[in-house]
Amino acid sequence: MSARTRRLTTAQALVRFLSAQYTERDGVRRRLIAGTWGIFGHGNVAGLGQALVEHADVMPFHQGRNEQSMVHAAVGHARQLNRLSAQAVTTSIGPGATNLVTGAALATINRLPVLLLPGDYFASHAADPLLQQLEHPVEADVSVNDTLRPVSRYFDRITRPEALIPSALNAMRVLADPAETGAVTLALPQDVQAEAYDWPEEFFAERVWHVRRPAPDPVELAAAVEAVRSAERPLVIAGGGVHHSEAEQALQAFVDATGIPVASTQAGKGSLRHDHPADLGGIGHTGTAVSDDLARTADLVIGVGTRYTDFTTASGTLFQHPDVRFLNLNITGFDAHKLAARTLVCDARTGLDLLREALSGHRVREEYVAEYRAGKDRWDEVVEAAYRAADDNAVPTQTQVLGALDAIVGDDDVVINAAGSLPGDLHKLWRSRSPRQYHLEYGYSCMGYEIPAAIGVQQAAPGTPVWALVGDGTYLMMPTEIVTAVQEGLPLNVVLIQNHGYASIGGLSQETGGERFGTAYRFRAADGTFTGAPLPVDLAANAASLGMDVLRAKTVRELHEALAAARACGRPTCVYVETDPAPTAPPAEAWWDVPVAETASREAAVEARERYERQVADRRRHL
């Protein structure tokens, strides 16, 4: 071997390369690939598996139980660290690889970085077909990994060792680019993984990827200033981009200077502390009354780092002012141009600072400030009523579970959720105390995300109390990573809420004429009929069998005690509570479009269609 090359297998070279990649923003440097998750089988055990053993000194390894869960854990890690650090995930070929697709879609939809390294068929076709290989009759270069193409921001199949060099560099470029990031896939044929090559030493040199903070175009900035100055009722919508940019202080300074109120998406909640006078809470279908009332009368909507999903816009029915216009500050032109907006394509923190400076001396009318503060005070009373239990010896409702948790957590605790009825209750009611406390995955709303994501957050922030909030439906989707938390010694807390079915989708089914069909967990009697009796399933015992300490709480008082004990425990702990099914959360303040059968014979569906037609009439195209 010459002084300028190093002979390694492709897999060994990839691991060494990944260990030398860093991000830097504002003078702070982090490992870009902080560790690798893996489940081994044929396709990666003799390639990447051997390489990770050989180079364990530079690449931490984490053993997973489910491939989708490993991606969720990596996504939780990346979000906790504001996209400045990511993790890799390696799988075998076949079902191990296709199990990545859901997690990859979640990462890309939420604009969060994760590196996927699935095994693939022999590039040489020496053994053809392989166990678990998909054979396509007319496209021999297709494998199951091609399912990852549409959900990846960058995809390549490494069919020669030397092809890894440009592809690995492109993969890092995308992962570290705030405007491009998401899932990145490098499919690795198993023979190429094991093939040796003389790699240039420069490939393994330490490389720092600067995470840029682009400033807005001066012409766009001037137009934005004019739009804000001329608005009578402006409203900021804070999205996840505020957190990713670490722009929370810049947003507060902007709000304090201008008096403009802030509503938040699921990803943006916590951009301001809940007790800031201008923080109005969530917006849209799961928003607060004060946020949605102001949104209906806003003449300028200032979106900061938001994608404007249908939950945020109430499926195009929320912003009803006849002359409403949009000003979107976003790192990507793709999102900035939504709703025919004026655009500020820039970093959130940089853009907010420059916009505030250019608006020097401008404030909204005091009457407007008084109006939204009064609305905020009224909503705070709604939250208190939902949280409060009249009898501490009663079975808690779901909102009282949130109230009990609110009383226990510290400012830096992280609360994680993704699906079911909890996202709506949390968006309306949770009182965020710090930028990272509220961790809702609602771009993909993936059942099963919470527990593995809590592991990723715990890895990213050791010593931080982390709470995974799951319903019984979500728990049954993916409890397996409890074993990983036990193995890794991570003291995550799972709050397992048993309500015997899919509460959220059951309510939606009833609203849309489906009569809650197929949404409850009911016992099938010997004669084949369903009864109202709950299934004889003990999820708390299941959690205990996977290695968790389990605390069962039957009353509000016991729940408070169990949550406090879990936070102090220092081991993976599950607080199990069966809730009163009576709804106590405030109803939706805005619509969400789920099309209802246009023709039906059942009365429930006919009535639902009539309601639907009245609601859909309010939809607007903002042009």
Side-chain angles (χ1 to χ4, degrees), residues 160-186:
R160 293 284 305 154
E162 59 268 34
L164 178 65
I165 296 174
S167 188
L169 291 167
N170 274 322
M172 299 303 104
R173 172 187 59 80
V174 173
L175 289 171
D177 188 335
E180 293 293 330
T181 197
V184 168
T185 300
L186 299 181

Side-chain angles (χ1 to χ4, degrees), residues 543-563:
S545 76
L546 297 176
M548 296 200 96
D549 291 351
V550 175
L551 305 172
R552 296 174 184 257
K554 296 182 179 179
T555 67
V556 173
R557 177 179 287 105
E558 290 178 1
L559 177 61
H560 279 265
E561 294 169 353
L563 292 171

Side-chain angles (χ1 to χ4, degrees), residues 140-316:
D141 63 342
V142 169
S143 84
V144 295
N145 287 335
D146 288 279
T147 60
L148 289 161
R149 289 182 184 270
V151 293
S152 297
R153 293 293 291 170
Y154 180 82
F155 180 100
D156 197 9
R157 179 176 286 115
I158 310 302
T159 56
R160 293 284 305 154
E162 59 268 34
L164 178 65
I165 296 174
S167 188
L169 291 167
N170 274 322
M172 299 303 104
R173 172 187 59 80
V174 173
L175 289 171
D177 188 335
E180 293 293 330
T181 197
V184 168
T185 300
L186 299 181
L188 301 169
Q190 58 180 304
D191 53 345
V192 177
Q193 288 183 49
E195 187 175 343
Y197 181 73
D198 292 329
W199 302 88
E201 283 287 350
E202 292 85 355
F203 186 55
F204 307 114
E206 188 174 288
R207 194 177 302 268
V208 180
W209 300 85
H210 176 67
V211 180
R212 63 182 69 91
R213 288 192 179 278
D217 178 87
V219 173
E220 287 192 341
L221 180 60
V225 169
E226 176 57 29
V228 176
R229 286 189 180 278
S230 61
E232 292 290 322
R233 300 179 64 83
L235 172 67
V236 169
I237 297 180
V242 175
H243 294 311
H244 299 328
S245 175
E246 298 174 308
E248 296 90 357
Q249 291 184 6
L251 177 63
Q252 181 173 333
F254 175 81
V255 169
D256 290 345
T258 63
I260 299 174
V262 176
S264 56
T265 69
Q266 287 279 17
K269 193 172 171 75
S271 295
L272 292 180
R273 269 187 64 102
H274 75 92
D275 51 3
H276 189 283
D279 179 67
L280 307 183
I283 191 169
H285 178 63
T286 54
T288 68
V290 59
S291 287
D292 288 350
D293 285 347
L294 258 66
R296 292 184 182 96
T297 60
D299 56 357
L300 180 69
V301 178
I302 306 169
V304 183
T306 178
R307 301 189 298 123
Y308 286 111
T309 69
D310 59 342
F311 258 57
T312 298
T313 67
S315 301

Side-chain angles (χ1 to χ4, degrees), residues 299-612:
D299 56 357
L300 180 69
V301 178
I302 306 169
V304 183
T306 178
R307 301 189 298 123
Y308 286 111
T309 69
D310 59 342
F311 258 57
T312 298
T313 67
S315 301
T317 64
L318 186 58
F319 308 111
Q320 289 298 318
H321 189 289
D323 298 317
V324 65
R325 292 293 180 266
F326 297 84
L327 168 63
N328 292 339
L329 193 162
N330 205 290
I331 195 79
T332 72
F334 178 82
D335 289 319
H337 280 275
K338 289 177 177 175
L339 303 178
R342 295 183 182 274
T343 60
L344 277 177
V345 181
C346 59
D347 169 75
R349 193 174 84 179
T350 302
L352 284 168
D353 282 342
L354 290 175
L355 187 58
R356 172 178 54 80
E357 292 169 5
L359 285 166
S360 178
H362 174 76
R363 281 188 64 84
V364 297
R365 292 178 298 107
E366 285 305 313
E367 295 87 347
Y368 184 48
V369 174
E371 176 189 343
Y372 70 67
R373 288 187 177 178
K376 175 181 173 63
D377 289 342
R378 289 192 297 272
W379 188 258
D380 286 342
E381 294 174 2
V382 172
V383 174
E384 285 294 333
Y387 278 4
R388 187 170 51 248
D391 181 0
D392 282 352
N393 294 312
V395 174
T397 65
Q398 182 163 285
T399 58
Q400 289 165 2
V401 172
L402 299 185
L405 186 61
D406 175 77
I408 294 298
V409 300
D411 285 7
D412 294 325
D413 289 31
V414 179
V415 176
I416 301 175
N417 184 243
S421 57
L422 279 165
D425 292 358
L426 286 160
H427 199 207
K428 293 187 189 84
L429 304 174
W430 188 257
R431 300 188 283 208
S432 298
R433 308 176 196 176
S434 64
R436 293 261 59 96
Q437 183 176 81
Y438 188 87
H439 184 128
L440 259 285
E441 188 288 296
Y442 216 60
Y444 211 38
S445 187
C446 185
M447 296 177 73
Y449 171 83
E450 295 90 343
I451 294 173
I455 292 172
V457 170
Q458 202 100 67
Q459 290 174 331
T464 298
V466 180
W467 303 84
L469 274 55
V470 296
D472 49 347
T474 292
Y475 179 86
L476 287 168
M477 287 278 182
M478 202 167 291
T480 52
E481 297 313 310
I482 287 173
V483 178
T484 303
V486 171
Q487 179 177 350
E488 299 249 345
L490 299 172
L492 67 88
N493 301 301
V494 173
V495 180
L496 175 50
I497 300 173
Q498 171 68 276
N499 56 24
H500 302 288
Y502 301 120
S504 174
I505 209 68
L508 181 62
S509 172
Q510 181 172 323
E511 177 67 21
T512 57
E515 303 177 51
R516 294 185 178 266
F517 178 75
T519 62
Y521 298 153
R522 294 182 298 170
F523 183 72
R524 187 188 292 272
D527 63 0
T529 61
F530 286 102
T531 73
L535 293 175
V537 175
D538 190 340
L539 299 183
N542 178 265
S545 76
L546 297 176
M548 296 200 96
D549 291 351
V550 175
L551 305 172
R552 296 174 184 257
K554 296 182 179 179
T555 67
V556 173
R557 177 179 287 105
E558 290 178 1
L559 177 61
H560 279 265
E561 294 169 353
L563 292 171
R567 192 171 187 272
C569 180
R571 271 187 41 78
T573 303
C574 173
V575 174
Y576 174 86
V577 56
E578 189 166 352
T579 55
D580 183 334
T584 52
E589 297 290 338
W591 187 58
W592 183 44
D593 188 352
V594 177
V596 176
E598 192 168 0
T599 62
S601 59
R602 296 180 69 85
E603 183 178 352
V606 172
E607 292 177 354
R609 180 67 192 192
E610 292 173 354
R611 291 193 299 270
Y612 177 81

